[in-house]
Amino acid sequence: MPASLAARLGHTFRDPHLLLQALTHRSYHYEHSAESSGHNERLEFLGDAVLDLVLSEWLMRSFPDTQEGTLSKWRASLVNEQTLSEVAKTLELNSTVRLGKSEEFTRDALRPRLLASVFEALIAAVYLDGGLAAAQKLIEPLFAKRIEGLSSTLEYAADFKTRLQEVTQGQFQGTVPEYKLTAADGPEHAKTFTSQVWLKQKQIGEGRGTSRKSAEQAAAQVALAQSEQWLEKQKGGV
């Protein structure tokens, strides 16, 4: 592990292979399968959960009088791909992630999804190596200013999924939207995803994006834009 990265992380790995796996994109793994011990997608899955846990507990502790709906909006704004990719850049993960040839040529302008995934995998690696306290030690300095800047007066307009869920729960007494991935087109390094959002067995929106999450956000945005029309129709069928 480069000394500079160790300093930025504030964590010395007992098992360096965890860090190496966290920094290995699947494009590199497939091109160097003989030497690679694995890529970071399973770690990304765990890191996402650890990040949610740490931030959720932090938000509840910091804002004891704030309602769950607001806390959910704040957490969503902290863990979206754009925010996580910006945090990844502060750690210079864009220069340390191991990429295959199909991704290497985009290193100077890596997709937010890829950077966010590397960061989440890194959180998981630290968690597995040093436990929850080590993960908190990594996460908290990186998000401190963002959490200090939170305010109940802020609107997170980009979080269309949360807004749509609030609207539908209010109208249909607990019924929540469901998202279906319907397509993933294009080469591995530049896929486009298509997602549909359904409510009460009816499709209410469709969107496309460079990741599954962004496609779901786009679908929710479409549904919100048409909300007055389809909500009245749905309400009449209840």
Side-chain angles (χ1 to χ4, degrees):
M1 176 173 61
S4 58
L5 180 57
R8 292 193 294 274
L9 295 180
H11 179 79
T12 301
F13 277 83
R14 293 175 294 178
D15 181 1
H17 293 291
L18 282 170
L19 174 62
L20 197 61
Q21 185 177 352
L23 295 175
T24 301
H25 187 259
R26 62 178 173 177
S27 62
Y28 182 95
H29 170 70
Y30 292 144
E31 292 178 14
H32 302 82
S33 56
E35 65 175 79
S36 175
S37 58
H39 55 75
N40 61 14
E41 290 184 0
R42 283 172 58 84
L43 289 176
E44 175 196 351
F45 167 76
L46 175 60
D48 178 67
V50 173
L51 182 60
D52 271 359
L53 172 61
V54 171
L55 292 178
S56 296
E57 191 275 334
W58 190 359
L59 288 169
M60 288 186 66
R61 184 177 70 245
S62 300
F63 304 96
D65 299 322
T66 301
Q67 296 298 313
E68 180 272 340
T70 300
L71 294 176
S72 294
K73 289 181 182 180
W74 285 350
R75 185 182 61 193
S77 75
L78 293 169
V79 300
N80 66 47
E81 289 176 1
Q82 189 59 45
T83 298
L84 296 188
S85 69
E86 291 170 2
V87 173
K89 289 177 182 177
T90 67
L91 295 172
E92 299 181 21
L93 298 184
N94 48 319
S95 63
T96 53
V97 60
R98 302 202 298 175
L99 302 171
K101 293 179 181 177
S102 62
E103 294 282 355
E104 182 64 47
F105 74 95
T106 67
R107 183 179 290 275
D108 292 337
L110 291 177
R111 291 170 290 126
R113 178 193 176 206
L114 190 154
L115 285 171
S117 298
V118 176
F119 177 65
E120 290 176 333
L122 184 64
I123 290 173
V126 171
Y127 170 77
L128 292 173
D129 191 72
L132 184 60
Q136 289 174 313
K137 184 180 177 181
L138 169 63
I139 293 167
E140 292 191 354
L142 296 171
F143 287 87
K145 289 186 177 179
R146 287 179 166 84
I147 287 186
E148 288 172 5
L150 293 174
S151 167
S152 59
T153 62
L154 292 178
E155 292 289 340
Y156 293 99
D159 187 21
F160 299 110
K161 288 180 65 177
T162 297
R163 291 170 57 197
L164 180 62
Q165 182 165 322
E166 290 175 346
V167 170
T168 55
Q169 284 182 319
Q171 292 286 338
F172 305 118
Q173 300 178 344
T175 301
V176 297
E178 295 182 2
Y179 295 86
K180 300 178 182 180
L181 181 67
T182 57
D185 305 314
E188 194 61 41
H189 67 276
K191 279 188 176 296
T192 298
F193 297 82
T194 302
S195 180
Q196 295 176 347
V197 56
W198 290 66
L199 182 70
K200 294 172 66 66
Q201 301 182 328
K202 292 185 179 181
Q203 181 187 329
I204 59 175
E206 181 176 86
R208 293 165 65 84
T210 56
S211 69
R212 183 168 184 162
K213 289 181 180 179
S214 62
E216 290 177 352
Q217 287 283 1
Q221 182 180 12
V222 170
L224 283 166
Q226 303 175 19
S227 61
E228 290 186 2
Q229 299 176 25
W230 59 258
L231 278 173
E232 286 303 319
K233 292 179 181 178
Q234 290 287 331
K235 194 173 180 180
V238 173

